[in-house]
Amino acid sequence: MATISFEVPDEAMQVVSATPEAFACAVRLAAAMLWHSRAEVSQGTAAAIAGMDRTDFMFALSRHKLEIFVVDWDDFDRELARVRAAYPPADANHG
């Protein structure tokens, strides 16, 4: 696993009233939630980034009022059109 370090202004630490460890956990969770909400990472990967299992990550998303399941509606529409083309509805008059 990679280790990343960066400097944070003292004011940021005061705003969140956190120890450096708690601040790091909050940043990991925030990044994971952002990337998940943009569908840049899967739920499992986001949970790993946040240092949680998937269930705890879903609860964290819920607490922050974020979508647990991200749907790309353009992809959904394309998939629906593909399925409809492959399985046209039976003619009701000949059914």
Side-chain angles (χ1 to χ4, degrees):
M1 184 175 287
T3 299
I4 300 170
S5 63
F6 55 92
E7 294 182 12
V8 177
D10 292 334
E11 300 82 40
M13 297 296 293
Q14 293 169 359
V15 168
V16 296
S17 301
T19 65
E21 295 79 17
F23 187 83
C25 288
V27 168
R28 287 175 63 176
L29 178 59
M33 290 190 299
L34 173 68
W35 294 331
H36 177 264
S37 71
R38 292 180 175 178
E40 294 175 14
V41 298
S42 69
Q43 193 177 81
T45 298
I49 291 167
M52 303 175 165
D53 62 31
R54 284 184 63 200
T55 302
D56 288 339
F57 184 68
M58 287 190 286
F59 281 124
L61 289 170
S62 178
R63 279 193 305 276
H64 288 88
K65 306 211 182 313
L66 296 172
E67 297 292 330
I68 293 174
F69 300 104
V70 178
V71 176
D72 181 323
W73 293 107
D74 292 332
D75 283 346
F76 179 82
D77 288 340
R78 282 190 294 275
E79 185 66 14
L80 186 59
R82 187 190 69 75
V83 169
R84 284 181 173 157
Y87 303 99
D91 186 8
N93 295 327
H94 294 83

